[in-house]
Amino acid sequence: MVKPTRQQLAWQQSEMTMFIHFGVNTFTDREWGEGTEDPRIFNPTQLDAEQWVQTAKEAGFRYVILTAKHHDGFCLWQSRHTEHSVKNSPWKNGKGDVVREFVNACHAAKLKVGIYLSPWDRHEPAYGDSPAYNRYYVNQLTELLTDYGEIAEVWLDGANGEGPNGKRQVYDFEAFRETIRKLQPDAVIFSPIEMTPDIRWIGNEDGIAGDPCWSTFDPAQFLALSQKEGWSPKVQAALESGYPDGTHWMPGESDVSIRPGWFWHAAENEKVKSLEHLMNIYFQSVGRNSLLLLNVPPDTRGLFAAPDVQRLREFRRELDRIFRDNLAKRAKITASSTAGGARITHLVDDNLKTFWSPEEGDGTATVEMEWSAPVTFNIAEAKEFIAEGQRVEAYRIERMEGGEWKTVVTGTTIGHRKLDRFEKVSASRVRWLFEKCKALPMIQTLGIYSG
Ligand code: FUL
């Protein structure tokens, strides 16, 4: 059975990461800079990394990733390997270091730090001259992973353009990977599949995972498919859903921005996603065994803008409201069987380290809940004990009505967390049937909510 590493498990259980896109594009009103931007345009007037981090923390994010360098090549830290950085900006008279302020704020708030270092670099003259640029990239990685304490996630994408010499850069993913492993062995790597990452991209930028969604993946099979087809619906579906018989634990990260663009644009202040939209994203990412990577871009002051902060507060309040009261905690819970060492009460003890499991050979393992009076609900939650792998392939939730079991909802995978939403129903008896499993199911949590 393919299982997560300790680092992957901690990452997956954290459920939400905030992404922060900030750089010269913030000041030029663009999404992709050309690499020719004058560093003097970078001049945030009130930059406050603590505001970003506090906002993230209050909204329930556990990791925060900053664009240390985007495709334009401008570095938010004092890199020794280029002049194209904050060093030549008027901000703090060229003495500032955004990465340092960001990392300090995260560490003080006990949030995990992530760094996005774009391999595509439209400024660096060596780009396209593959070995020289690969050395440049490794040098930059080395600075970021040596000088800033603990880094928990390294994020790099596959964007790949032509260098100034017209040559296409060939990335040395092996060297990038080795550098990260050597300098920050506990960091999880998000990268193109070519690099055999710890975490895979979910295949779209809408924040929506596949259904089913497996944390397991088959890089060899995937690369063969994508080499044959390029970008195709099948390739996308493979990223969104993973591979049930995958050779690697490689859970999906669902990235999306709170605004239409990744960077801040004044014209998008009125286009911050609605609470309803964010909730739909949450249910289809976190609620489908993925991690939500939500981008919030600081403005030209270097602060999150008011509409974004407001929306994040509403988002937190709504999540707290929905998940405040797990009705399953007030039910009498029984099971078709319980394996030795496991306990039925573990299903509602909010402990990530315990689980319930049926006995070997129990046919369709079933858990039933009964209340003394009917309860009304429209959300169901299930979590697997994924430290031991992902096992459930199909399940069904039923309620007793007029002396008969009626299906409320059917589902496929569960993984770290599965959420189902449906029309409100009332019942005093509800049961879960784990109909198809790759191995004995190990269920950590079951929940019933009225949202
Ligand atoms: C992509 C980039 O091209 C976008 O600008 C953005 O940074 C997104 C998160 O990743 O690869």
Side-chain angles (χ1 to χ4, degrees):
M1 174 89 29
V2 180
K3 296 174 189 177
T5 62
R6 176 171 52 84
Q7 293 83 353
Q8 285 172 318
L9 184 62
W11 175 87
Q12 222 166 336
Q13 288 173 342
S14 74
E15 298 186 354
M16 296 205 297
T17 298
M18 186 177 280
F19 215 166
I20 299 183
H21 275 66
F22 188 55
V24 283
N25 295 338
T26 312
F27 298 86
T28 55
D29 205 16
R30 301 187 64 148
E31 279 291 306
W32 282 4
E34 304 267 355
T36 50
E37 291 75 18
D38 187 333
R40 283 175 298 187
I41 60 172
F42 183 85
N43 196 15
T45 46
Q46 300 173 52
L47 188 138
D48 181 3
E50 278 175 25
Q51 186 238 12
W52 312 344
V53 168
Q54 279 314 319
T55 306
K57 186 167 183 162
E58 280 161 27
F61 294 80
R62 313 262 193 88
Y63 287 58
V64 192
I65 304 177
L66 173 67
T67 53
K69 179 183 89 169
H70 202 249
H71 306 329
D72 51 73
F74 181 80
C75 300
L76 293 183
W77 80 103
Q78 301 268 338
S79 176
R80 293 182 281 280
H81 306 285
T82 181
E83 291 301 302
H84 200 53
S85 79
V86 282
K87 184 157 68 179
N88 285 306
S89 79
W91 180 63
K92 299 201 164 173
N93 294 318
K95 300 278 184 285
D97 183 337
V98 184
V99 174
R100 175 85 54 210
E101 296 193 14
F102 163 72
V103 169
N104 287 349
C106 288
H107 286 159
K110 300 215 160 28
L111 295 193
K112 300 271 190 193
V113 178
I115 292 290
Y116 172 16
L117 184 68
S118 165
W120 188 25
D121 189 320
R122 305 176 90 182
H123 177 82
E124 176 50 35
Y127 193 87
D129 176 357
S130 293
Y133 178 75
N134 286 328
R135 274 197 299 279
Y136 176 79
Y137 188 85
V138 165
N139 284 338
Q140 294 205 315
L141 262 184
T142 303
E143 288 180 326
L144 291 167
L145 303 183
T146 307
D147 298 347
Y148 295 90
E150 191 194 327
I151 306 293
E153 181 167 347
V154 180
W155 207 95
L156 47 127
D157 56 356
N160 185 196
E162 271 179 7
N165 51 12
K167 282 200 254 166
R168 196 167 162 270
Q169 172 72 28
V170 181
Y171 298 129
D172 187 351
F173 283 127
E174 197 52 40
F176 300 173
R177 195 186 148 79
E178 268 171 34
T179 308
I180 299 166
R181 285 287 188 252
K182 185 175 82 205
L183 298 172
Q184 297 277 348
D186 281 343
V188 288
I189 301 174
F190 172 100
S191 76
I193 302 298
E194 283 83 347
M195 197 164 143
T196 328
D198 301 310
I199 299 161
R200 72 175 195 269
W201 180 44
I202 206 68
N204 64 73
E205 291 184 335
D206 305 321
I208 297 180
D211 183 8
C213 183
W214 291 93
S215 293
T216 44
F217 203 73
D218 190 328
Q221 209 176 314
F222 175 82
L223 290 173
L225 179 71
S226 68
Q227 266 145 29
K228 195 168 98 209
E229 303 201 347
W231 184 251
S232 72
K234 253 172 141 180
V235 167
Q236 181 169 357
L239 289 166
E240 290 179 341
S241 286
Y243 289 81
D245 297 312
T247 48
H248 290 64
W249 191 268
M250 208 179 267
E253 188 177 73
S254 302
D255 61 331
V256 62
S257 184
I258 197 165
R259 290 162 171 245
W262 294 101
F263 286 87
W264 179 83
H265 307 289
E268 293 183 355
N269 280 340
E270 277 83 56
K271 295 192 179 150
V272 173
K273 288 187 171 54
S274 66
L275 176 61
E276 194 191 352
H277 192 167
L278 285 186
M279 292 307 296
N280 286 338
I281 286 172
Y282 184 87
F283 274 91
Q284 292 175 93
S285 55
V286 176
R288 284 187 183 170
N289 184 39
S290 181
L291 179 139
L292 171 59
L293 173 56
L294 181 66
N295 178 67
V296 185
D299 59 17
T300 49
R301 294 170 306 166
L303 296 173
F304 286 163
D308 310 58
V309 174
Q310 173 64 24
R311 191 67 80 246
L312 288 164
R313 285 203 184 115
E314 292 167 9
F315 181 49
R316 181 71 260 159
R317 232 180 288 134
E318 182 66 356
L319 288 173
D320 288 345
R321 184 188 68 77
I322 293 175
F323 295 106
R324 188 175 44 211
D325 186 17
N326 182 359
L327 299 172
K329 290 185 180 175
R330 293 204 292 278
K332 183 170 152 263
I333 310 180
T334 53
S336 50
S337 73
T338 296
R343 281 218 198 104
I344 196 78
T345 49
H346 288 159
L347 288 170
V348 288
D349 66 1
D350 293 327
N351 184 344
L352 293 178
K353 298 209 168 85
T354 63
F355 58 88
W356 162 85
S357 225
E359 274 170 357
E360 204 73 63
D362 175 2
T364 300
T366 306
V367 173
E368 188 178 327
M369 300 185 179
E370 188 169 358
W371 292 266
S372 49
V375 291
T376 302
F377 58 96
N378 61 346
I379 290 169
E381 174 189 47
K383 291 182 176 188
E384 280 185 81
F385 186 75
I386 55 165
E388 291 298 326
Q390 193 177 340
R391 298 165 175 230
V392 178
E393 288 178 275
Y395 67 91
R396 175 185 302 273
I397 304 174
E398 296 180 331
R399 72 189 160 109
M400 180 63 88
E401 196 196 57
E404 266 178 66
W405 287 109
K406 300 245 170 80
T407 299
V408 177
V409 71
T410 57
T412 56
T413 49
I414 294 177
H416 166 64
R417 192 167 179 211
K418 178 66 194 294
L419 297 170
D420 289 301
R421 277 197 294 189
F422 35 83
E423 290 294 311
K424 269 203 159 81
V425 288
S426 291
S428 53
R429 286 173 73 191
V430 172
R431 67 178 187 181
W432 262 265
L433 297 102
F434 300 99
E435 296 182 316
K436 191 158 181 251
C437 304
K438 294 168 68 70
L440 211 59
M442 297 172 83
I443 310 297
Q444 184 183 75
T445 298
L446 292 179
I448 291 279
Y449 302 91
S450 166

